[in-house]
Amino acid sequence: MDYIEKGTKAFNRANWALFLAGFITFANLYVSQPLLPTFAEEFRVSPAVASLSLSVTTLALSISMIIVGSLSEAWGRKSLMTISIFAASALTLALAFSPNFETILVLRVIQGVVFAGLPAIAMAYLGEEIAPTSLGVAMGLYISGNSVGGLSGRVIIGTLTDLYNWQVGMIVLGVISLMISVLFIWMLPNSKNFTARPLQIKALTKSLIQHLKDPSMLCLFGISFVLMGSFVTLYNYIGFKLMAPPYNLSATIVGWIFVIYLVGTFSSAWFGSLADRFGRQKMLLLAIAIMLAGAIITLQSLLLLKILGITVFTFGFFAAHSIASGWVSKRATHDKAQASSLYLFFYYFGSSVGGTAGGVFWMHFGWVGVIAMITVFLVIACMLTFVLKSVIAKQRLITGLVK
Protein backbone atom coordinates (compact mmCIF):
# COMPACT_ATOMS: atom_id res chain seq x y z
CA MET A 1 0.00 0.00 0.00
CA ASP A 2 1.30 3.46 -0.93
CA TYR A 3 0.51 5.30 2.30
CA ILE A 4 0.91 9.02 2.93
CA GLU A 5 3.53 9.41 5.64
CA LYS A 6 3.66 12.09 8.29
CA GLY A 7 6.08 14.88 7.44
CA THR A 8 5.60 14.68 3.68
CA LYS A 9 4.11 17.37 1.42
CA ALA A 10 1.23 15.04 0.54
CA PHE A 11 0.45 14.54 4.25
CA ASN A 12 0.28 18.29 4.81
CA ARG A 13 -1.91 18.88 1.73
CA ALA A 14 -4.31 16.06 2.63
CA ASN A 15 -4.69 17.24 6.20
CA TRP A 16 -5.15 20.90 5.28
CA ALA A 17 -7.70 19.98 2.63
CA LEU A 18 -9.74 17.87 5.05
CA PHE A 19 -9.28 20.49 7.77
CA LEU A 20 -10.90 23.02 5.41
CA ALA A 21 -13.64 20.55 4.42
CA GLY A 22 -14.40 19.92 8.09
CA PHE A 23 -14.44 23.67 8.62
CA ILE A 24 -17.08 24.16 5.90
CA THR A 25 -19.22 21.24 7.04
CA PHE A 26 -19.42 22.17 10.69
CA ALA A 27 -19.63 25.92 10.18
CA ASN A 28 -22.78 25.34 8.12
CA LEU A 29 -24.15 22.34 10.01
CA TYR A 30 -24.37 24.19 13.33
CA VAL A 31 -25.19 27.60 11.89
CA SER A 32 -28.66 27.53 13.47
CA GLN A 33 -27.51 26.66 17.00
CA PRO A 34 -26.72 30.20 18.23
CA LEU A 35 -29.92 31.37 16.52
CA LEU A 36 -32.26 29.17 18.58
CA PRO A 37 -33.31 32.00 20.95
CA THR A 38 -33.71 34.31 17.92
CA PHE A 39 -35.85 31.76 16.05
CA ALA A 40 -37.97 31.13 19.15
CA GLU A 41 -38.69 34.84 19.48
CA GLU A 42 -39.04 35.77 15.79
CA PHE A 43 -41.18 32.80 14.76
CA ARG A 44 -42.95 32.43 18.13
CA VAL A 45 -42.06 28.79 18.76
CA SER A 46 -40.87 26.98 21.89
CA PRO A 47 -37.16 26.26 22.56
CA ALA A 48 -37.72 22.57 21.76
CA VAL A 49 -39.37 23.43 18.42
CA ALA A 50 -36.64 25.98 17.62
CA SER A 51 -34.06 23.22 18.22
CA LEU A 52 -35.58 21.32 15.28
CA SER A 53 -33.67 23.69 12.97
CA LEU A 54 -30.62 21.71 14.06
CA SER A 55 -32.16 18.34 14.96
CA VAL A 56 -33.84 17.75 11.57
CA THR A 57 -30.51 18.48 9.87
CA THR A 58 -28.50 16.04 11.96
CA LEU A 59 -31.25 13.41 11.63
CA ALA A 60 -31.24 13.71 7.82
CA LEU A 61 -27.46 13.65 7.90
CA SER A 62 -27.31 10.50 10.02
CA ILE A 63 -29.65 8.55 7.74
CA SER A 64 -28.07 9.80 4.51
CA MET A 65 -24.52 8.94 5.57
CA ILE A 66 -25.29 5.22 5.54
CA ILE A 67 -26.36 5.49 1.90
CA VAL A 68 -23.64 7.91 0.79
CA GLY A 69 -20.92 5.96 2.57
CA SER A 70 -21.94 2.89 0.59
CA LEU A 71 -22.14 4.86 -2.66
CA SER A 72 -18.59 6.09 -2.17
CA GLU A 73 -17.36 2.50 -2.34
CA ALA A 74 -18.44 2.56 -5.99
CA TRP A 75 -18.21 6.23 -6.96
CA GLY A 76 -15.03 7.30 -5.18
CA ARG A 77 -14.14 9.54 -2.26
CA LYS A 78 -13.05 12.94 -3.53
CA SER A 79 -15.88 13.48 -6.04
CA LEU A 80 -18.63 12.92 -3.48
CA MET A 81 -16.90 15.09 -0.87
CA THR A 82 -16.63 17.90 -3.45
CA ILE A 83 -20.32 17.76 -4.37
CA SER A 84 -21.22 17.75 -0.68
CA ILE A 85 -19.38 20.90 0.35
CA PHE A 86 -20.44 22.94 -2.69
CA ALA A 87 -24.13 22.00 -2.28
CA ALA A 88 -24.07 22.66 1.48
CA SER A 89 -22.56 26.10 0.90
CA ALA A 90 -25.20 27.02 -1.69
CA LEU A 91 -28.02 25.93 0.62
CA THR A 92 -26.74 28.24 3.37
CA LEU A 93 -27.17 31.11 0.91
CA ALA A 94 -30.72 29.89 0.19
CA LEU A 95 -31.55 29.87 3.93
CA ALA A 96 -31.06 33.63 4.03
CA PHE A 97 -34.17 34.07 1.87
CA SER A 98 -36.50 31.78 3.86
CA PRO A 99 -39.91 33.48 4.39
CA ASN A 100 -40.92 31.36 7.42
CA PHE A 101 -39.75 28.74 9.91
CA GLU A 102 -41.28 25.88 7.91
CA THR A 103 -39.11 26.77 4.90
CA ILE A 104 -36.06 26.85 7.14
CA LEU A 105 -36.81 23.31 8.31
CA VAL A 106 -37.27 22.03 4.75
CA LEU A 107 -33.98 23.56 3.59
CA ARG A 108 -32.19 22.25 6.66
CA VAL A 109 -33.41 18.73 5.92
CA ILE A 110 -32.05 18.98 2.38
CA GLN A 111 -28.82 20.41 3.75
CA GLY A 112 -28.55 17.45 6.12
CA VAL A 113 -28.74 15.08 3.15
CA VAL A 114 -25.96 16.81 1.20
CA PHE A 115 -23.76 17.15 4.30
CA ALA A 116 -23.57 13.35 4.30
CA GLY A 117 -21.06 13.40 1.45
CA LEU A 118 -18.21 14.51 3.66
CA PRO A 119 -17.87 13.22 7.26
CA ALA A 120 -17.94 9.44 6.77
CA ILE A 121 -16.02 9.57 3.50
CA ALA A 122 -13.34 11.84 5.00
CA MET A 123 -12.76 9.34 7.80
CA ALA A 124 -12.56 6.48 5.28
CA TYR A 125 -10.14 8.48 3.10
CA LEU A 126 -7.83 8.99 6.07
CA GLY A 127 -8.07 5.32 7.05
CA GLU A 128 -7.11 4.24 3.53
CA GLU A 129 -4.50 6.82 2.57
CA ILE A 130 -2.68 7.75 5.79
CA ALA A 131 -0.02 5.46 7.25
CA PRO A 132 -1.40 3.57 10.29
CA THR A 133 1.31 5.01 12.55
CA SER A 134 0.15 8.53 11.68
CA LEU A 135 -3.61 7.92 11.63
CA GLY A 136 -4.24 9.18 15.17
CA VAL A 137 -2.60 12.52 14.42
CA ALA A 138 -4.32 12.85 11.03
CA MET A 139 -7.75 12.06 12.47
CA GLY A 140 -7.16 14.54 15.27
CA LEU A 141 -6.22 17.28 12.78
CA TYR A 142 -9.34 16.59 10.72
CA ILE A 143 -11.56 16.80 13.78
CA SER A 144 -9.81 20.00 14.81
CA GLY A 145 -11.08 21.46 11.52
CA ASN A 146 -14.55 20.46 12.65
CA SER A 147 -14.11 22.39 15.89
CA VAL A 148 -12.72 25.50 14.17
CA GLY A 149 -15.58 25.42 11.66
CA GLY A 150 -18.18 24.99 14.36
CA LEU A 151 -16.66 27.91 16.24
CA SER A 152 -16.39 30.20 13.21
CA GLY A 153 -19.91 29.58 11.96
CA ARG A 154 -21.39 30.38 15.35
CA VAL A 155 -19.28 33.51 15.85
CA ILE A 156 -20.08 34.85 12.36
CA ILE A 157 -23.82 34.26 12.76
CA GLY A 158 -23.97 35.56 16.33
CA THR A 159 -22.07 38.74 15.56
CA LEU A 160 -23.80 39.57 12.28
CA THR A 161 -27.22 38.85 13.81
CA ASP A 162 -26.59 41.56 16.39
CA LEU A 163 -25.08 44.00 13.90
CA TYR A 164 -27.57 43.39 11.08
CA ASN A 165 -29.75 40.25 11.10
CA TRP A 166 -29.38 36.48 10.82
CA GLN A 167 -30.04 36.59 7.06
CA VAL A 168 -26.91 38.67 6.45
CA GLY A 169 -24.95 36.17 8.53
CA MET A 170 -26.16 33.30 6.33
CA ILE A 171 -25.12 35.13 3.15
CA VAL A 172 -21.63 35.92 4.45
CA LEU A 173 -21.05 32.35 5.67
CA GLY A 174 -22.31 30.89 2.39
CA VAL A 175 -19.92 33.00 0.31
CA ILE A 176 -16.94 32.14 2.54
CA SER A 177 -17.82 28.43 2.29
CA LEU A 178 -17.96 28.51 -1.52
CA MET A 179 -14.51 30.10 -1.67
CA ILE A 180 -13.00 27.50 0.67
CA SER A 181 -14.60 24.69 -1.38
CA VAL A 182 -12.41 25.69 -4.33
CA LEU A 183 -9.29 25.34 -2.16
CA PHE A 184 -10.37 21.86 -1.07
CA ILE A 185 -10.55 20.58 -4.66
CA TRP A 186 -7.09 21.92 -5.42
CA MET A 187 -5.35 20.65 -2.27
CA LEU A 188 -6.70 17.13 -1.63
CA PRO A 189 -4.54 14.36 -3.19
CA ASN A 190 -6.42 11.79 -5.26
CA SER A 191 -6.96 8.37 -3.66
CA LYS A 192 -4.21 5.82 -4.26
CA ASN A 193 -5.39 2.93 -2.10
CA PHE A 194 -9.05 3.04 -3.08
CA THR A 195 -10.37 0.70 -5.76
CA ALA A 196 -13.84 1.43 -7.07
CA ARG A 197 -16.19 -1.49 -7.43
CA PRO A 198 -19.63 -1.94 -8.98
CA LEU A 199 -22.47 -0.83 -6.73
CA GLN A 200 -23.89 -4.07 -5.36
CA ILE A 201 -26.73 -3.37 -2.99
CA LYS A 202 -26.90 -6.93 -1.71
CA ALA A 203 -23.18 -7.09 -0.91
CA LEU A 204 -23.19 -3.66 0.72
CA THR A 205 -26.23 -4.57 2.81
CA LYS A 206 -24.49 -7.75 3.91
CA SER A 207 -21.37 -5.84 4.99
CA LEU A 208 -23.56 -3.30 6.79
CA ILE A 209 -25.16 -6.10 8.80
CA GLN A 210 -21.72 -7.54 9.56
CA HIS A 211 -20.65 -4.24 11.10
CA LEU A 212 -23.83 -4.16 13.19
CA LYS A 213 -23.20 -7.72 14.38
CA ASP A 214 -19.72 -6.84 15.65
CA PRO A 215 -20.08 -6.19 19.42
CA SER A 216 -17.01 -3.95 19.49
CA MET A 217 -18.46 -1.76 16.74
CA LEU A 218 -21.81 -1.58 18.52
CA CYS A 219 -20.03 -0.30 21.64
CA LEU A 220 -18.29 2.40 19.61
CA PHE A 221 -21.57 3.32 17.93
CA GLY A 222 -23.25 3.61 21.33
CA ILE A 223 -20.42 5.76 22.64
CA SER A 224 -20.77 8.12 19.68
CA PHE A 225 -24.55 8.42 20.33
CA VAL A 226 -24.24 9.48 23.97
CA LEU A 227 -21.17 11.67 23.49
CA MET A 228 -22.75 13.76 20.76
CA GLY A 229 -26.13 13.76 22.48
CA SER A 230 -24.45 15.29 25.53
CA PHE A 231 -22.43 17.83 23.58
CA VAL A 232 -25.27 19.21 21.46
CA THR A 233 -27.62 19.35 24.45
CA LEU A 234 -25.24 21.56 26.42
CA TYR A 235 -24.62 23.96 23.54
CA ASN A 236 -28.26 24.08 22.41
CA TYR A 237 -29.53 25.41 25.72
CA ILE A 238 -26.61 27.35 27.17
CA GLY A 239 -27.66 30.26 24.94
CA PHE A 240 -31.14 30.33 26.50
CA LYS A 241 -29.52 30.29 29.94
CA LEU A 242 -27.03 33.08 29.26
CA MET A 243 -29.41 35.39 27.37
CA ALA A 244 -31.93 35.28 30.25
CA PRO A 245 -31.64 36.99 33.68
CA PRO A 246 -29.41 37.36 35.60
CA TYR A 247 -26.84 37.24 32.78
CA ASN A 248 -28.76 38.99 29.95
CA LEU A 249 -25.95 38.48 27.42
CA SER A 250 -26.37 39.59 23.81
CA ALA A 251 -26.36 37.22 20.80
CA THR A 252 -22.90 38.53 19.87
CA ILE A 253 -21.39 37.70 23.26
CA VAL A 254 -23.07 34.28 23.33
CA GLY A 255 -21.74 33.66 19.81
CA TRP A 256 -18.21 34.54 20.90
CA ILE A 257 -18.46 32.05 23.76
CA PHE A 258 -18.07 29.44 21.04
CA VAL A 259 -14.42 30.52 20.80
CA ILE A 260 -14.15 27.84 23.46
CA TYR A 261 -14.21 25.41 20.51
CA LEU A 262 -10.52 26.24 20.02
CA VAL A 263 -9.65 24.01 22.96
CA GLY A 264 -11.18 21.18 20.91
CA THR A 265 -8.70 21.92 18.13
CA PHE A 266 -5.91 21.25 20.59
CA SER A 267 -7.43 18.38 22.56
CA SER A 268 -8.51 16.33 19.50
CA ALA A 269 -5.01 16.34 17.99
CA TRP A 270 -3.28 15.88 21.36
CA PHE A 271 -5.47 13.04 22.64
CA GLY A 272 -5.33 11.35 19.21
CA SER A 273 -1.56 11.26 19.58
CA LEU A 274 -1.76 10.13 23.24
CA ALA A 275 -4.11 7.30 22.25
CA ASP A 276 -1.51 6.02 19.77
CA ARG A 277 1.06 5.96 22.59
CA PHE A 278 -0.83 4.96 25.75
CA GLY A 279 -3.89 3.10 24.52
CA ARG A 280 -7.32 4.16 23.38
CA GLN A 281 -9.35 2.92 26.34
CA LYS A 282 -7.39 4.83 28.99
CA MET A 283 -7.46 8.06 27.03
CA LEU A 284 -11.15 7.69 26.15
CA LEU A 285 -12.14 7.19 29.79
CA LEU A 286 -10.04 10.19 30.79
CA ALA A 287 -11.72 12.33 28.12
CA ILE A 288 -15.21 11.30 29.28
CA ALA A 289 -14.28 12.08 32.90
CA ILE A 290 -13.15 15.54 31.80
CA MET A 291 -16.51 16.08 30.06
CA LEU A 292 -18.40 15.10 33.23
CA ALA A 293 -16.31 17.43 35.38
CA GLY A 294 -16.99 20.31 32.99
CA ALA A 295 -20.73 19.66 32.97
CA ILE A 296 -20.88 19.72 36.76
CA ILE A 297 -18.91 22.99 36.93
CA THR A 298 -21.56 24.71 34.75
CA LEU A 299 -24.06 24.26 37.60
CA GLN A 300 -22.28 27.11 39.39
CA SER A 301 -24.08 30.44 39.13
CA LEU A 302 -20.96 32.57 38.64
CA LEU A 303 -20.61 33.38 34.94
CA LEU A 304 -16.84 32.81 34.84
CA LEU A 305 -17.28 29.35 36.37
CA LYS A 306 -19.97 28.51 33.82
CA ILE A 307 -17.63 29.46 31.00
CA LEU A 308 -14.83 27.44 32.62
CA GLY A 309 -17.15 24.44 32.83
CA ILE A 310 -18.11 24.76 29.15
CA THR A 311 -14.40 24.97 28.28
CA VAL A 312 -13.51 21.83 30.23
CA PHE A 313 -16.51 19.98 28.78
CA THR A 314 -15.57 20.96 25.22
CA PHE A 315 -11.95 19.94 25.73
CA GLY A 316 -13.06 16.49 26.84
CA PHE A 317 -15.63 16.04 24.09
CA PHE A 318 -13.29 16.63 21.17
CA ALA A 319 -10.65 14.44 22.78
CA ALA A 320 -13.16 11.60 23.20
CA HIS A 321 -14.56 11.96 19.68
CA SER A 322 -11.08 11.91 18.17
CA ILE A 323 -10.23 8.66 19.93
CA ALA A 324 -13.56 6.90 19.26
CA SER A 325 -13.68 7.83 15.56
CA GLY A 326 -10.09 6.72 15.00
CA TRP A 327 -10.89 3.48 16.81
CA VAL A 328 -13.66 2.73 14.31
CA SER A 329 -11.26 3.08 11.37
CA LYS A 330 -8.81 0.74 13.09
CA ARG A 331 -11.42 -1.89 14.03
CA ALA A 332 -13.09 -2.01 10.60
CA THR A 333 -11.63 -4.85 8.53
CA HIS A 334 -13.74 -4.13 5.43
CA ASP A 335 -15.81 -1.31 3.90
CA LYS A 336 -14.26 1.40 6.08
CA ALA A 337 -16.47 4.15 4.67
CA GLN A 338 -19.53 2.14 5.62
CA ALA A 339 -18.20 1.54 9.14
CA SER A 340 -17.48 5.25 9.50
CA SER A 341 -20.96 6.03 8.17
CA LEU A 342 -22.53 3.85 10.84
CA TYR A 343 -20.45 5.49 13.55
CA LEU A 344 -21.57 8.91 12.36
CA PHE A 345 -25.17 7.73 11.94
CA PHE A 346 -25.32 7.04 15.67
CA TYR A 347 -23.28 10.20 16.34
CA TYR A 348 -25.74 12.52 14.61
CA PHE A 349 -28.78 10.51 15.65
CA GLY A 350 -27.58 11.14 19.20
CA SER A 351 -27.39 14.84 18.30
CA SER A 352 -31.01 14.82 17.11
CA VAL A 353 -32.36 12.86 20.06
CA GLY A 354 -30.27 14.56 22.74
CA GLY A 355 -30.67 18.04 21.28
CA THR A 356 -34.46 17.89 21.24
CA ALA A 357 -34.90 15.83 24.43
CA GLY A 358 -32.70 18.36 26.21
CA GLY A 359 -35.33 20.97 25.39
CA VAL A 360 -37.90 19.02 27.38
CA PHE A 361 -35.54 18.84 30.38
CA TRP A 362 -34.79 22.55 30.00
CA MET A 363 -38.44 23.59 29.95
CA HIS A 364 -39.40 21.41 32.95
CA PHE A 365 -36.29 21.37 35.15
CA GLY A 366 -34.07 24.20 33.95
CA TRP A 367 -30.29 23.92 33.67
CA VAL A 368 -30.11 21.31 36.44
CA GLY A 369 -32.30 19.04 34.33
CA VAL A 370 -30.08 19.54 31.29
CA ILE A 371 -26.96 18.58 33.26
CA ALA A 372 -28.74 15.59 34.82
CA MET A 373 -29.51 14.23 31.35
CA ILE A 374 -25.93 14.82 30.22
CA THR A 375 -24.59 13.03 33.31
CA VAL A 376 -26.66 9.93 32.55
CA PHE A 377 -25.36 9.93 28.97
CA LEU A 378 -21.73 10.17 30.09
CA VAL A 379 -22.10 7.37 32.65
CA ILE A 380 -23.42 5.18 29.83
CA ALA A 381 -20.38 6.15 27.73
CA CYS A 382 -18.04 4.98 30.51
CA MET A 383 -19.89 1.69 30.85
CA LEU A 384 -19.70 1.06 27.11
CA THR A 385 -15.95 1.76 27.14
CA PHE A 386 -15.40 -0.96 29.75
CA VAL A 387 -17.62 -3.36 27.80
CA LEU A 388 -15.64 -2.55 24.65
CA LYS A 389 -12.36 -3.54 26.32
CA SER A 390 -13.86 -6.86 27.39
CA VAL A 391 -15.28 -7.55 23.91
CA ILE A 392 -11.98 -6.82 22.18
CA ALA A 393 -10.13 -9.10 24.60
CA LYS A 394 -12.57 -11.95 23.87
CA GLN A 395 -12.28 -11.39 20.11
CA ARG A 396 -8.48 -11.55 20.31
CA LEU A 397 -8.69 -14.75 22.35
CA ILE A 398 -11.02 -16.37 19.84
CA THR A 399 -8.80 -15.27 16.94
CA GLY A 400 -5.77 -16.75 18.69
CA LEU A 401 -7.54 -20.07 19.28
CA VAL A 402 -8.62 -20.27 15.64
CA LYS A 403 -5.07 -19.69 14.47
Side-chain angles (χ1 to χ4, degrees):
M1 304 290 280
D2 187 11
Y3 287 120
I4 298 174
E5 298 285 347
K6 183 180 178 181
T8 64
K9 184 178 179 180
F11 183 86
N12 293 333
R13 287 177 67 92
N15 278 284
W16 270 110
L18 289 174
F19 178 95
L20 291 173
F23 176 97
I24 295 171
T25 300
F26 286 84
N28 290 279
L29 176 60
Y30 291 106
V31 72
S32 66
Q33 195 170 47
L35 296 176
L36 297 186
T38 301
F39 286 165
E41 181 179 356
E42 182 172 330
F43 298 109
R44 297 184 180 182
V45 295
S46 70
V49 172
S51 75
L52 291 176
S53 62
L54 177 59
S55 295
V56 296
T57 311
T58 53
L59 180 60
L61 170 62
S62 66
I63 296 170
S64 301
M65 274 193 302
I66 297 178
I67 300 171
V68 175
S70 297
L71 289 177
S72 73
E73 303 289 355
W75 295 352
R77 312 300 195 201
K78 185 174 180 179
S79 58
L80 282 176
M81 286 191 284
T82 300
I83 293 170
S84 172
I85 58 177
F86 269 101
S89 302
L91 283 164
T92 295
L93 286 173
L95 280 166
F97 303 96
S98 300
N100 50 52
F101 191 66
E102 290 75 14
T103 302
I104 289 175
L105 293 183
V106 171
L107 289 175
R108 291 289 283 167
V109 168
I110 298 171
Q111 202 168 32
V113 173
V114 301
F115 276 136
L118 183 90
I121 300 174
M123 291 170 65
Y125 176 94
L126 289 172
E128 292 166 349
E129 305 300 326
I130 303 298
T133 54
S134 305
L135 181 59
V137 174
M139 193 68 73
L141 289 171
Y142 162 64
I143 291 173
S144 71
N146 299 350
S147 66
V148 173
L151 152 69
S152 301
R154 290 166 167 96
V155 168
I156 290 170
I157 287 294
T159 302
L160 291 178
T161 296
D162 260 0
L163 293 176
Y164 303 99
N165 53 56
W166 63 268
Q167 290 92 340
V168 170
M170 292 286 186
I171 292 172
V172 171
L173 182 60
V175 171
I176 292 173
S177 298
L178 286 171
M179 294 170 63
I180 294 176
S181 298
V182 176
L183 280 176
F184 168 81
I185 298 173
W186 174 67
M187 294 184 69
L188 186 70
N190 293 321
S191 298
K192 293 183 178 180
N193 300 324
F194 168 76
T195 302
R197 61 187 183 184
L199 186 60
Q200 299 176 333
I201 302 299
K202 184 177 180 180
L204 289 171
T205 302
K206 181 179 179 181
S207 66
L208 189 75
I209 294 173
Q210 287 175 341
H211 287 310
L212 291 171
K213 284 184 176 180
D214 185 337
S216 64
M217 285 295 193
L218 286 176
C219 287
L220 287 167
F221 298 157
I223 289 169
S224 71
F225 179 96
V226 292
L227 286 180
M228 190 56 169
S230 301
F231 185 69
V232 169
T233 296
L234 186 138
Y235 273 97
N236 269 8
Y237 301 101
I238 192 64
F240 287 98
K241 180 68 175 177
L242 296 180
M243 292 175 73
Y247 308 106
N248 297 313
L249 299 184
S250 67
T252 297
I253 295 176
V254 170
W256 276 97
I257 285 175
F258 289 97
V259 169
I260 290 169
Y261 261 51
L262 289 175
V263 302
T265 305
F266 169 72
S267 68
S268 58
W270 185 38
F271 267 67
S273 178
L274 290 176
D276 288 338
R277 293 170 56 193
F278 300 113
R280 289 174 173 80
Q281 190 212 17
K282 290 180 181 178
M283 292 300 103
L284 181 56
L285 285 171
L286 176 59
I288 294 169
I290 291 171
M291 287 181 69
L292 181 58
I296 293 172
I297 292 173
T298 66
L299 290 172
Q300 301 298 313
S301 59
L302 188 65
L303 180 59
L304 287 178
L305 286 178
K306 279 196 184 299
I307 294 174
L308 173 63
I310 298 168
T311 304
V312 173
F313 182 87
T314 304
F315 180 97
F317 169 75
F318 280 102
H321 175 42
S322 174
I323 296 167
S325 58
W327 211 339
V328 168
S329 293
K330 185 176 178 62
R331 293 294 304 170
T333 57
H334 64 282
D335 296 317
K336 289 181 179 291
Q338 202 175 54
S340 298
S341 296
L342 281 169
Y343 171 86
L344 292 172
F345 165 79
F346 284 94
Y347 181 81
Y348 290 113
F349 188 56
S351 171
S352 299
V353 173
T356 301
V360 177
F361 280 85
W362 165 253
M363 288 187 292
H364 288 86
F365 307 106
W367 190 246
V368 173
V370 170
I371 298 304
M373 191 192 97
I374 289 173
T375 299
V376 171
F377 273 29
L378 294 179
V379 169
I380 292 172
C382 287
M383 293 170 62
L384 287 172
T385 303
F386 283 111
V387 173
L388 176 60
K389 180 183 179 181
S390 176
V391 167
I392 291 175
K394 289 180 181 178
Q395 290 177 338
R396 286 175 178 169
L397 179 60
I398 293 172
T399 302
L401 291 174
V402 171
K403 291 181 178 180

